């Protein structure tokens, strides 16, 4: 999780759109395991930004993904802790 999200953040910051699109696509696939549509949609937005090579909206999309994926991570951590 942290490594994949870090790759996305680095690619977005460096405006490396090829890597951004690929990393967001990979993260979106990983998120699909958990059925979290909001996080998947946020990753898809960054995937499309990377595919199109558009700088407009990249910061907002990145913040959206970090927030939504962060909520998912917190929910999963809570679930694992409660199960232990």
């Amino acid at each position: 999780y942290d490594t994949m999200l870090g790759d996305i953040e680095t690619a977005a910051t460096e405006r490396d759109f090829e890597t951004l699109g690929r990393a967001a696509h990979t993260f979106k696939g990983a998120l699909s395991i958990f059925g979290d549509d909001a996080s998947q949609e946020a990753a898809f937005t960054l995937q499309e930004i990377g595919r199109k090579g558009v700088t407009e909206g990249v910061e907002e999309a990145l913040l959206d993904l970090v927030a939504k994926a962060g909520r998912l991570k917190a929910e999963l951590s809570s679930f694992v802790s409660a199960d232990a």
Side-chain angles (χ1 to χ4, degrees):
Y1 169 91
D2 293 329
T3 300
M4 286 190 280
L5 193 54
D7 291 344
I8 292 169
E9 291 175 319
T10 299
T13 301
E14 295 176 357
R15 301 298 196 255
D16 178 353
F17 294 110
E18 182 178 338
T19 301
L20 175 62
R22 186 175 51 252
H25 175 77
T26 300
F27 195 49
K28 181 184 72 172
L31 292 167
S32 71
I33 294 168
F34 303 106
D36 183 42
D37 293 340
S39 293
Q40 288 179 67
E41 288 174 21
F44 178 74
T45 298
L46 282 164
Q47 176 185 329
E48 287 298 293
I49 287 172
R51 185 182 67 80
K52 295 176 183 175
V54 177
T55 58
E56 185 176 333
V58 71
E59 290 88 7
E60 294 85 3
L62 180 58
L63 289 173
D64 187 43
L65 177 61
V66 168
K68 289 176 178 171
R71 282 194 295 274
L72 175 61
K73 184 178 180 181
E75 288 175 16
L76 291 172
S77 293
S78 176
F79 177 76
V80 169
S81 296
D83 196 37

